[in-house]
Amino acid sequence: MSKNINKVKTYEEIQAMREGGRMLATVLQYLKSETKPGMTTKDLSSLAGSRLKELGGDPAFLGYRGFPDIICIAINEEVQHTIPGSRVIKDGDIVNCDFGVLWKGLITDAAITYPVGEIGTEAKNLLAGTEAALNEAIRVVKHGVRVRDVSKAIERILKSYGLGIVRELCGHGVGHALHEDPDIPNFGADGGGFRLKAGMTIAIEPIATTGSPKVKFMPDGWNILTEDGGLAAQFEHSILVTHDGCEVLTLI
């Protein structure tokens, strides 16, 4: 992960991130509502591109470290960074859409995982637990809080749902670059002593599995799968740290 200093954002920069974040959330909810069995992940990517163009934003992921598409779309055992392609979405799948928007020079980053049709109890628990972990982390964030306290909150909730915690991937600062300092692990690393400051913007993204937390990296250099073939999920928001809490920027 490239390192960029997480600068306290100006009012104008924060406002740009609010606007870009609303675009991002609009696209993600649109994809969720339009996903149907029989579509390919490339079909979803095309829908995302069309909707974002209507809204006026630019995709933040395209070309990042050579990434060839505008969005990452992972299904079931796919964990992260999956390039949209010919994989067909089926009834009973869970779909993770991870998207970034560039607007007025500022980047927001968010993701949702959602069911297609009826899913099993294990998948429902995975989605509920991963989203609950994100919500708990948001509750903890405020000026002066250490990253490790955010990480421990995520870990506590994921463990309470009996989920595996992917350690190779983490949250991060966001704004002037897609990845800024600090890293925000999804487990309580002792080294996460970085203190958040009001005006910083971060992306928190719990990533969990139904079985082993171990993952394998595919030859394309992007796609990451669960090692045991279990399901994976991710929920993510871009967040503004404030003195008395935080503001979620990637909401409609």
Side-chain angles (χ1 to χ4, degrees), residues 6-111:
N6 190 332
K7 299 177 182 177
V8 170
K9 309 307 189 288
T10 66
Y11 173 81
E12 290 77 13
E13 290 168 341
I14 291 167
Q15 187 58 26
M17 292 186 72
R18 288 187 179 117
E19 293 166 0
R22 283 195 293 271
M23 292 180 192
L24 199 167
T26 298
V27 171
L28 288 180
Q29 291 305 314
Y30 174 67
L31 294 180
K32 182 178 179 179
S33 69
E34 293 297 312
T35 302
K36 303 291 188 298
M39 298 175 69
T40 67
T41 53
K42 189 63 179 178
D43 291 334
L44 278 187
S45 173
S46 296
L47 288 178
S50 297
R51 190 72 182 98
L52 182 60
K53 185 176 181 180
E54 291 172 0
L55 295 168
D58 291 312
F61 292 0
L62 182 62
Y64 178 74
R65 294 188 172 181
F67 189 73
D69 210 293
I70 66 168
I71 188 170
C72 302
I73 303 177
I75 298 175
N76 297 340
E77 79 287 351
E78 295 171 334
V79 180
Q80 282 283 280
H81 304 158
T82 311
I83 301 167
S86 60
R87 183 163 181 172
V88 176
I89 298 165
K90 303 187 301 294
D91 188 70
D93 284 344
I94 58 171
V95 178
N96 168 224
C97 293
D98 186 357
F99 195 44
V101 168
L102 174 65
W103 173 248
K104 296 182 179 178
L106 277 296
I107 293 171
T108 49
D109 185 9

Side-chain angles (χ1 to χ4, degrees), residues 157-191:
I157 299 300
L158 293 180
K159 283 186 173 180
S160 75
Y161 278 80
L163 300 174
I165 303 170
V166 176
R167 293 185 170 232
E168 290 85 350
L169 302 164
C170 64
H172 50 87
V174 70
H176 296 293
L178 181 56
H179 291 112
E180 297 179 349
D181 290 333
D183 286 348
I184 305 174
N186 293 315
F187 57 97
D190 291 337

